[in-house]
């Protein structure tokens, strides 16, 4: 089984992947780690700020990693921001039954009420080397973009509206 975790920035994708690793013992790959490896090794001139271009650059690699894992009957959790809204179009009926997709997003009200907590927990699993310059407006915009994009593609969104931990626990059952 492949568990594909997408969503907006600061929604806890890495935290969910870590908890799934601990519960199911599935390895996981962070698309952000792949991104930074490609950037730091000089295999691309893209920078961490080139979000759309990074999706176009990284997704073909991630897509083929997923196919290889399925073909080898291996479990894998893949998490990150660089998963295109129409990701399903890259897989045929041989692969899709083996992919479980989760998209995390937060409502505007949740972001407004919990912004300080969101920023305080941004390094819960991975230490961010540069302090976040993220604003409430940035989070709202990114969450709205993700919700609109994935819903337009027919995907279900896990929308965090009140109790973050409760929503994450539901996904672990």
């Amino acid at each position: 089984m492949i568990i594909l975790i997408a969503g907006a920035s600061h929604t806890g994708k890495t935290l969910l992947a870590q908890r799934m690793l601990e519960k199911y013992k599935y390895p996981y790959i962070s698309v952000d780690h792949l991104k930074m490896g490609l950037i730091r090794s000089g295999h691309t001139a893209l920078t961490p700020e080139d979000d759309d271009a990074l999706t176009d650059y990284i997704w073909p690699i991630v897509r083929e990693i997923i196919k290889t894992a399925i073909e080898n009957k291996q479990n894998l959790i893949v998490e990150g921001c660089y998963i295109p809204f129409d990701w399903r179009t890259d897989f045929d009926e041989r692969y899709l039954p083996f992919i479980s997709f989760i998209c995390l997003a937060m409502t505007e009200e949740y972001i407004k009420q919990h912004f300080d907590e969101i920023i305080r927990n941004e390094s819960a699993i991975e230490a961010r080397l540069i302090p976040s310059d993220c604003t409430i407006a940035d989070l709202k915009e990114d969450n709205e973009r993700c919700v609109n994009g994935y819903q337009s593609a027919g995907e279900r969104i896990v929308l965090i509206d009140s109790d973050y931990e409760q929503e994450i626990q539901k996904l672990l059952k």
Side-chain angles (χ1 to χ4, degrees):
M1 175 60 63
I2 304 300
I3 301 172
L4 190 56
I5 304 172
S9 178
H10 288 77
T11 54
K13 296 176 298 295
T14 306
L15 175 65
L16 178 59
Q18 179 68 34
R19 290 198 183 161
M20 287 183 161
L21 172 144
E22 292 166 2
K23 179 172 183 168
Y24 303 117
K25 309 298 185 224
Y26 292 4
Y28 83 82
I29 182 169
S30 167
V31 180
D32 282 341
H33 288 179
L34 177 59
K35 167 190 78 176
M36 292 311 298
L38 291 165
I39 290 170
R40 287 179 172 177
S41 67
H43 280 84
T44 181
L46 296 171
T47 71
E49 288 77 39
D50 296 324
D51 285 339
D52 291 338
L54 281 164
T55 299
D56 293 341
Y57 184 70
I58 292 173
W59 176 246
I61 298 166
V62 172
R63 176 191 67 218
E64 297 309 315
I65 290 170
I66 291 169
K67 287 179 181 178
T68 301
I70 292 170
E71 290 162 357
N72 286 296
K73 298 177 177 44
Q74 294 172 310
N75 299 314
L76 181 64
I77 300 163
V78 178
E79 65 86 15
C81 293
Y82 305 102
I83 298 167
F85 300 135
D86 65 346
W87 68 270
R88 285 183 191 272
T89 62
D90 287 332
F91 298 96
D92 62 32
E93 67 281 346
R94 290 176 296 165
Y95 299 102
L96 285 171
F98 301 99
I99 303 172
S100 176
F101 178 76
I102 299 169
C103 178
L104 298 177
M106 297 172 178
T107 64
E108 283 191 31
E109 187 60 29
Y110 184 86
I111 293 167
K112 192 167 94 177
Q113 296 295 321
H114 299 271
F115 181 73
D116 290 339
E117 180 183 351
I118 292 166
I119 297 303
R120 200 169 42 250
N121 289 312
E122 70 182 357
S123 294
I125 299 299
E126 295 178 335
R128 294 180 189 244
L129 298 178
I130 301 169
S132 177
D133 59 354
C134 182
T135 66
I136 289 176
D138 293 336
L139 284 183
K140 287 180 178 180
E141 181 182 327
D142 193 32
N143 276 268
E144 183 178 351
R145 183 188 64 77
C146 279
V147 168
N148 292 338
Y150 285 115
Q151 280 182 340
S152 293
E155 299 296 345
R156 186 180 76 82
I157 311 296
V158 175
L159 198 55
I160 300 159
D161 188 33
S162 60
D163 188 331
Y164 180 85
E165 191 60 38
Q166 184 179 30
E167 291 300 325
I168 295 302
Q169 287 304 316
K170 286 183 203 174
L171 294 169
L172 293 171
K173 291 184 180 183

